[in-house]
Amino acid sequence: MRPKILLVEDDPHLVELISYNLEKENFDVIRTGDGEEALVLAQEEKPDLVILDWMIANLSGIEVCRRLRRAPATANLPIVMLTARVEEADRIRGLETGADDYVTKPFSPRELVARIRALLRRLRPALSGGNLDYAGISMDTASHKVTRDGQPVQLGPTEFRLLRHFLEHPGRVFSREQLLDSVWGRDVYVEQRTVDVHIRRLRKAVNATAGGEELPDVIRTVRSAGYALDVELEPVRA
């Protein structure tokens, strides 16, 4: 699985430099130099991380960062702020707005790639390979085995793909349409209410114990937004 990076930068030379180094390291790169388009791409493409220049067209990087943090679907999206601003007050402002890291120009492309990998390891451990783990749930993607608190969980193929998608993006809210695109595929026609059916099946399988007791619910319905694998949100049953 190639991590997907949204690069928001309007300097064509930097775009080429950063893209070349990221693609060489097996990242997929989506590019835009427009702040408003960046917000659309973040929703549609569901990147694993955003590299965000401070000074871009239409919306500043700071405003893009602020809006990404406000939207449920992108609230937990890792963001690296890229800027020529070197003053401490600017760095603090960027971090307080929601950036996870702050890289000043000029910079070493190798260092930028290293920072991205470190950030993904910390915030998206699923992208580092091996088992996917969250809140007591463990998935072995090679053997297709799932456990919760050490007990086996039996899943159908669609529920397995749904859970894998959630485990790859813990805490992130996905709309029904986004789940259809990611789990079923954009070329497959499935009604949105089908998502609700499979979410209920996944919730039943993941939350049940061998003794029939129900474990704390980790599949969350976020009103007017969608679903997330999150132990901190208040549950709303589908």
Side-chain angles (χ1 to χ4, degrees), residues 193 195-205 227 238:
R193 65 171 177 266
V195 176
D196 300 332
V197 173
H198 287 282
I199 288 289
R200 283 195 291 271
R201 291 178 182 173
L202 176 60
R203 176 179 279 140
K204 181 178 180 180
Y227 297 102

Side-chain angles (χ1 to χ4, degrees), residues 54 62 66 85 88-98:
W54 187 304
I62 284 288
R66 183 178 291 112
R85 296 172 179 260
E88 180 184 22
D90 291 324
R91 292 199 301 273
I92 292 173
R93 183 184 176 196
L95 294 170
E96 287 183 342
T97 302

Side-chain angles (χ1 to χ4, degrees), residues 78 99-101 115-126 128:
D100 297 285
D101 201 353
R115 284 174 178 257
I116 289 169
R117 289 200 180 281
L119 191 56
L120 288 175
R121 281 196 301 270
R122 179 164 58 88
L123 299 180
R124 296 282 169 81
S128 299

Side-chain angles (χ1 to χ4, degrees), residues 64-138:
V64 172
C65 184
R66 183 178 291 112
R67 294 190 189 187
L68 288 174
R69 286 290 175 254
R70 287 176 180 170
T74 56
N76 298 304
L77 182 59
I79 298 173
V80 176
M81 188 72 73
L82 191 63
T83 178
R85 296 172 179 260
V86 297
E87 297 297 326
E88 180 184 22
D90 291 324
R91 292 199 301 273
I92 292 173
R93 183 184 176 196
L95 294 170
E96 287 183 342
T97 302
D100 297 285
D101 201 353
Y102 192 99
V103 177
T104 57
K105 303 174 184 177
F107 58 88
S108 160
R110 290 181 60 189
E111 180 185 356
L112 177 62
V113 171
R115 284 174 178 257
I116 289 169
R117 289 200 180 281
L119 191 56
L120 288 175
R121 281 196 301 270
R122 179 164 58 88
L123 299 180
R124 296 282 169 81
L127 297 172
S128 299
N131 286 1
L132 308 183
D133 297 284
Y134 180 78
I137 300 171
S138 181

